[in-house]
Amino acid sequence: MDLSYSDEQKQIKEGVERFVREQYAFDTRRKIAGSEKGWLPENWAKFAELGWLGMSFSEADGGFGGGAIETMIAMEAFGSGLVLEPYLPTVVMGGGLLAAGGSAAQKEALLAPMIAGEKQFAVAYVEKQARFNLADVAVVAKKDGAGYAISGHKGVVYNAASADTIFVTARTSGGQRDEKGITVFAVDAKSAGITRRDYPTQDALRASELTFDNVKVGADSVVGKVDDGHALFEGVIDRSIVALCAEAVGCMDAINKATLEYIKTRKQFGVPIGKFQVLQHRMVDCFTNAQEARSMTLMAALKIDDADATVRKKAASGAKVQIGKSGKFCGQSAVQMHGGMGVTDELSVSHYFKRLTMIETLFGNQQHHLSRYANLSVAA
Amino acid sequence: MDLAFTKEDIAFRDEVRDFVAKNLPKDIADKVAGGKHLERDDYMRWQQALGRQGWLVYTWPKKHGGPGWTITQRYIFENTCAEMNAPSIIPFGSKMVGPVIYTFGNDEQKQRFLPDIRESSVWWCQGYSEPGSGSDLASLRTKAVREGDHYIVNGSKTWNTMGHWADWIFCLVRTNPEAKQQEGISFLLIDMKTPGITVKPIIMADGGHEVNEVFFDNVRVPAENLVGKEGEGWTYAKFLLANERLGIAAIPQSKRGVEGLKQMAKSERDGAGKTLIDDASFREKIADLEIQVTALEYTELRALSAMAAGGAPGPEVSFLKIRGSEIQQRITELAVEAVGYYAMPYQPALLWHGANEEPIGPDYAHLAAPRYFNVRKTSIYGGSNEIQKNVISKMVLGL
């Protein structure tokens, strides 16, 4: 048993942290958020050059042989600086789908250029009626000659406007909520029949509503097996949850640090407000919450590739429950302890709070994952 | 980074399992599994078995007669013992006064006291809290006045755990009333058979007797029983508490507690024709608790891993006590909720092994309320959780 980072992992950590420190000052981030794409192509090129886009993929897939721990290290540092570059949709989700289910040809055509920094991805899976149920898929893919024609609506697709390829879950058979009958397609983002409505999200990222109107794709665009895409997709979402949890841990550390600094310097009644026991104890609770979030994220990263799917699912859901609870506590406490300043746009605190709040919903909220965990662990 | 144990660690775990299987008397394991009270003799039989193997003082270095185990081996040992229903080791000798003696005591004291602690032939207890000194421990007033070769001790100690079974007590006493509060305290070892000592039971809310008041009336203690220097007792007291911090979270016991709750919920009916485990809201309460235990377990593993790599335990250990105690309390709270009306019958005799009385409700139900009442203590003892937060606030956050 050894929970320390290897030398290579320490180097990655130092590298990503240095990038955030030097390239992601809060004012810089504000400018990046307002730029055309909402992220900087030169930063993305640097990610590619430093190997961060490929480090979590196997060498056979053109990566550098890392895994969930490397992803965790990068995402935590990104979270600490509220980094806007689309690492999660492109590398973790899209790249993850290709690594887990892609054919050799798909890996060559899509994964290799992604690792080189030349392709960006988005993953279209959210449907309004489905809430957090990944098996509730109403978008259909009908047989069309040798290929398929996809029709329907997908919501809140992060990075769709920048993506070269959009991965779409669609129903190829079965009832609307059957796990069987879901297929994952890799669709060229410029395909005829895709209509986008782009918008910023609460936390300064970019997303889109996508309408697919008889979008024709070839049989070679199927990722994994026809009708059997659910398990593949759920596995990738579980891995994405661990990455997202790491981002949240970075956010929590940053917001706690800012709050601690603030209550040490802000004076009222003639003393720093951090001298008041009621705030000291709340700060300790913030610290404790962040430590528990870090522990659960590490646990999930270590178990997410377990051969037993139940172990993997419990790890992801358990971590997501913890992150939801801790993120809300740290976020709300930070705002409260900053007083009026905490609800202004001027300080970074409100921006971390907004990101933590959106993270709570992304991939299923605390209640959803508590229920999933309970069904896997307690009833079993 | 690797969660798996090494081959050596697995061999070690098997060795511990084998030892426990062969040496833990079945009647004791049954009592622990059934949540029954243990007698002095139960603890002693198990601790002496460990002592013969050299494992009772498993946290001690080799040069003081410990096994010199790695942090991972200690973790495996604690978990394996808990899984196999071994009683918790009473910490006052092996984990508290022992390390103080081998760190600060003189050679005569080491030769005189350490072998008995290693073998568990002597039962130690702790004299820290006083009626007027709880969270503000340094305000303690039990006096020790030097008279020739003796100290004359007067005063009283309280919340003294299992002192009615003890042979010796280690005490914080005030030797210099003129000095600043912390600087007038000394660390004294006292034979419980010394004339002038009275032990008076305190009966707890669950009806049990585990703590006492201890009164000292002109008790003559040989001056050679002073550990270290006069006036430095507070330093030794803090050292003792820091040593105690790991392991206090009772994680293996809480894991067992969560499993127990699941079993209860499978037996209890839910009033809708099914069992309580089919009730989604109750199931989620157990799930939430299990996630809390997992978070605590991995926090402890991170701390152990940092220590194994030679680092300090790190600030994360400071809150293990806080969360560990809250979790222990939550387990008992959910047990009371699970058993419903049958938490109500009071059957104290059933807390003892071999009672003839028939349980009124299910055989696990009578324990629920006494356990709940009893473990309220966990957020109070060892430094209340509020005091722990003060400590973290000051030492870790610099507030």
Side-chain angles (χ1 to χ4, degrees):
Chain A
M1 187 179 65
D2 174 17
L3 301 183
S4 55
Y5 292 136
S6 67
D7 289 343
E8 291 78 12
Q9 288 167 338
K10 281 182 199 152
Q11 277 174 15
I12 294 167
K13 185 171 154 66
E14 280 159 22
V16 188
E17 284 175 353
R18 189 181 322 118
F19 165 79
V20 171
R21 205 166 49 241
E22 292 172 1
Q23 312 292 330
Y24 249 84
F26 185 59
D27 287 343
T28 312
R29 177 188 183 268
R30 202 188 281 278
K31 289 195 191 95
I32 296 171
S35 69
E36 190 204 337
K37 286 175 185 295
W39 54 274
L40 284 190
E42 52 264 47
N43 282 346
W44 198 254
K46 184 174 282 179
F47 289 10
E49 185 192 317
L50 293 169
W52 299 345
L53 304 181
M55 64 186 177
S56 299
F57 298 99
S58 72
E59 284 168 22
D61 286 346
F64 308 117
I69 299 293
E70 282 73 13
T71 305
M72 177 182 83
I73 291 169
M75 288 298 289
E76 184 186 328
F78 291 154
S80 73
L82 293 174
V83 167
L84 298 159
E85 278 65 24
Y87 196 87
L88 186 66
T90 299
V91 181
V92 183
M93 298 176 72
L97 279 168
L98 289 167
S103 65
Q106 286 167 337
K107 285 176 183 174
E108 198 189 324
L110 300 173
L111 189 56
M114 187 282 283
I115 290 172
E118 292 152 10
K119 273 193 188 299
Q120 291 251 337
F121 300 145
V123 181
Y125 68 98
V126 175
E127 297 190 11
K128 193 172 183 311
Q129 85 289 342
R131 200 169 167 80
F132 302 124
N133 180 4
L134 298 174
D136 186 340
V137 176
V139 166
V140 291
K142 285 205 177 94
K143 262 291 200 196
D144 182 73
Y148 294 85
I150 302 172
S151 293
H153 184 86
K154 293 285 187 184
V156 201
V157 185
Y158 280 95
N159 202 40
S162 293
D164 302 287
T165 302
I166 299 172
F167 296 89
V168 187
T169 52
R171 186 152 294 288
T172 37
S173 72
Q176 193 184 310
R177 281 176 289 278
D178 290 348
E179 290 184 2
K180 182 81 182 167
I182 295 169
T183 305
V184 180
F185 293 92
V187 182
D188 188 323
K190 290 184 207 67
S191 304
I194 300 179
T195 314
R196 268 193 359 243
R197 181 181 172 188
D198 301 335
Y199 50 86
T201 58
Q202 300 288 345
D203 47 357
L205 293 168
R206 303 293 173 87
S208 308
E209 297 299 295
L210 296 185
T211 306
F212 296 81
D213 182 14
N214 218 25
V215 176
K216 314 265 192 198
V217 294
D220 58 355
S221 67
V222 172
V223 181
K225 288 192 185 124
V226 175
D227 288 345
D228 281 333
H230 179 73
L232 164 71
F233 196 76
E234 192 187 29
V236 170
I237 293 295
D238 280 338
R239 286 178 183 81
S240 304
I241 284 172
V242 183
L244 184 69
C245 289
E247 183 186 346
V249 167
C251 289
M252 279 182 244
D253 272 0
I255 204 172
N256 284 349
K257 201 171 144 201
T259 307
L260 183 59
E261 188 57 36
Y262 186 79
I263 66 172
K264 280 179 179 172
T265 48
R266 166 74 175 169
K267 284 188 175 172
Q268 287 289 275
F269 306 103
V271 290
I273 59 175
K275 290 288 166 203
F276 299 121
Q277 196 178 43
V278 71
L279 295 193
Q280 290 177 346
H281 285 196
R282 188 152 182 180
M283 198 68 236
V284 170
D285 292 340
C286 289
F287 166 81
T288 304
N289 265 283
Q291 290 289 336
E292 291 180 302
R294 177 177 293 282
S295 295
M296 285 302 278
T297 301
L298 176 66
M299 177 281 298
L302 288 166
K303 291 193 170 177
I304 202 65
D305 290 312
D306 198 286
D308 181 346
T310 305
V311 171
R312 184 201 82 211
K313 291 176 192 184
K314 271 175 65 182
S317 284
K320 192 64 170 52
V321 168
Q322 183 69 55
I323 258 65
K325 192 191 293 184
S326 292
K328 194 173 279 183
F329 187 86
C330 292
Q332 291 179 348
S333 297
V335 170
Q336 180 68 21
M337 286 193 268
H338 273 84
M341 292 307 291
V343 284
T344 64
D345 179 65
E346 183 189 335
L347 293 198
S348 65
V349 172
S350 67
H351 299 263
Y352 284 103
F353 179 50
K354 285 193 271 188
R355 180 61 185 150
L356 282 168
T357 305
M358 296 305 114
I359 285 175
E360 150 69 350
T361 300
L362 189 52
F363 304 135
N365 60 17
Q366 195 181 328
Q367 179 57 49
H368 170 78
H369 283 285
L370 183 62
S371 168
R372 184 180 186 232
Y373 185 99
N375 291 337
L376 289 163
S377 173
V378 184
Chain B
M1 188 172 286
D2 191 1
L3 200 54
F5 289 128
T6 61
K7 232 170 31 197
E8 292 77 25
D9 289 336
I10 290 169
F12 174 77
R13 186 194 61 197
D14 292 343
E15 187 189 347
V16 174
R17 273 187 190 161
D18 186 56
F19 175 82
V20 178
K22 287 191 179 123
N23 292 278
L24 175 64
K26 189 174 179 308
D27 61 308
I28 299 179
D30 287 347
K31 285 186 194 182
V32 173
K36 306 280 186 193
H37 286 320
L38 269 64
E39 311 269 9
R40 183 184 199 272
D41 175 61
D42 297 326
Y43 288 110
M44 282 305 220
R45 275 189 290 154
W46 171 234
Q47 289 183 178
Q48 286 168 2
L50 286 173
R52 283 190 292 276
Q53 181 77 2
W55 288 358
L56 177 60
V57 293
Y58 67 95
T59 56
W60 294 17
K62 271 198 169 135
K63 69 172 169 178
H64 297 301
W69 284 345
T70 64
I71 299 284
T72 307
Q73 286 174 315
R74 292 187 204 175
Y75 171 82
I76 291 171
F77 174 74
E78 287 168 3
N79 275 273
T80 306
C81 287
E83 280 160 20
M84 298 178 73
N85 293 315
S88 303
I89 292 173
I90 302 298
F92 305 111
S94 61
K95 287 192 180 161
M96 294 184 175
V97 74
V100 169
I101 291 172
Y102 70 61
T103 308
F104 303 106
N106 58 37
D107 286 344
E108 290 77 49
Q109 289 169 337
K110 289 181 202 170
Q111 277 158 27
R112 184 174 167 203
F113 294 109
L114 296 184
D116 290 340
I117 295 174
R118 287 195 295 260
E119 293 157 16
S120 191
S121 48
V122 159
W123 189 297
W124 282 88
C125 70
Q126 182 182 38
Y128 267 35
S129 295
E130 297 183 7
S133 304
S135 289
D136 182 14
L137 183 60
S139 71
L140 60 90
R141 289 188 302 187
T142 293
K143 255 191 329 194
V145 179
R146 182 78 183 247
E147 253 186 45
D149 290 342
H150 286 78
Y151 285 99
I152 311 300
V153 179
N154 278 288
S156 67
K157 294 288 176 183
T158 193
W159 311 128
N160 160 268
T161 302
M162 297 171 181
H164 51 299
W165 290 341
D167 304 300
W168 280 77
I169 182 168
F170 56 92
C171 270
L172 293 180
V173 292
R174 188 160 301 284
T175 40
N176 184 356
E178 314 296 322
K180 267 173 49 187
Q181 231 180 27
Q182 277 91 340
E183 289 161 14
I185 295 172
S186 299
F187 196 99
L188 213 51
L189 311 177
I190 306 176
D191 187 336
M192 289 292 279
K193 288 184 290 296
T194 318
I197 297 180
T198 316
V199 178
K200 193 180 148 210
I202 300 173
I203 302 304
M204 302 301 282
D206 63 354
H209 171 204
E210 56 187 77
V211 291
N212 306 279
E213 283 184 278
V214 181
F215 298 93
F216 299 85
D217 180 16
N218 285 316
V219 174
R220 291 174 62 82
V221 180
E224 67 203 38
N225 291 5
L226 174 78
V227 175
K229 290 193 186 129
E230 201 179 276
E232 299 207 346
W234 188 250
T235 309
Y236 313 149
K238 281 195 298 187
F239 165 85
L240 182 153
L241 290 173
N243 254 353
E244 186 195 354
R245 224 180 264 157
L246 278 174
I248 199 169
I251 295 163
Q253 288 78 8
S254 287
K255 282 160 85 174
R256 209 166 61 189
V258 171
E259 288 311 309
L261 273 178
K262 290 182 191 173
Q263 293 310 316
M264 268 182 227
K266 282 178 188 167
S267 307
E268 289 292 321
R269 311 297 297 179
D270 71 342
K274 290 183 174 175
T275 62
L276 199 52
I277 203 92
D278 299 304
D279 174 343
S281 77
F282 195 78
R283 200 161 65 225
E284 286 170 10
K285 286 178 187 176
I286 299 179
D288 182 64
L289 189 57
E290 189 171 279
I291 292 167
Q292 292 183 40
V293 176
T294 308
L296 198 62
E297 185 185 15
Y298 276 79
T299 303
E300 188 177 70
L301 289 173
R302 287 201 291 127
L304 293 176
S305 177
M307 285 168 74
E316 54 269 30
V317 296
S318 326
F319 71 85
L320 287 174
K321 193 262 168 177
I322 298 178
R323 295 292 294 124
S325 58
E326 288 171 349
I327 288 168
Q328 284 171 274
Q329 293 177 336
R330 180 69 177 152
I331 290 170
T332 59
E333 190 183 331
L334 285 185
V336 171
E337 192 177 325
V339 302
Y341 274 110
Y342 282 93
M344 291 177 178
Y346 178 51
Q347 294 186 281
L350 288 183
L351 295 172
W352 298 93
H353 187 63
N356 284 325
E357 203 173 310
E358 191 69 17
I360 292 165
D363 60 2
Y364 49 81
H366 69 93
L367 276 169
R371 290 292 301 148
Y372 171 68
F373 299 139
N374 184 281
V375 305
R376 301 313 297 172
K377 72 189 175 190
T378 59
S379 56
I380 298 164
Y381 68 31
S384 73
N385 285 9
E386 288 74 17
I387 289 290
Q388 302 289 344
K389 288 186 184 181
N390 289 351
V391 170
I392 297 173
S393 166
K394 191 174 165 197
M395 307 304 290
V396 180
L397 303 178
L399 285 170

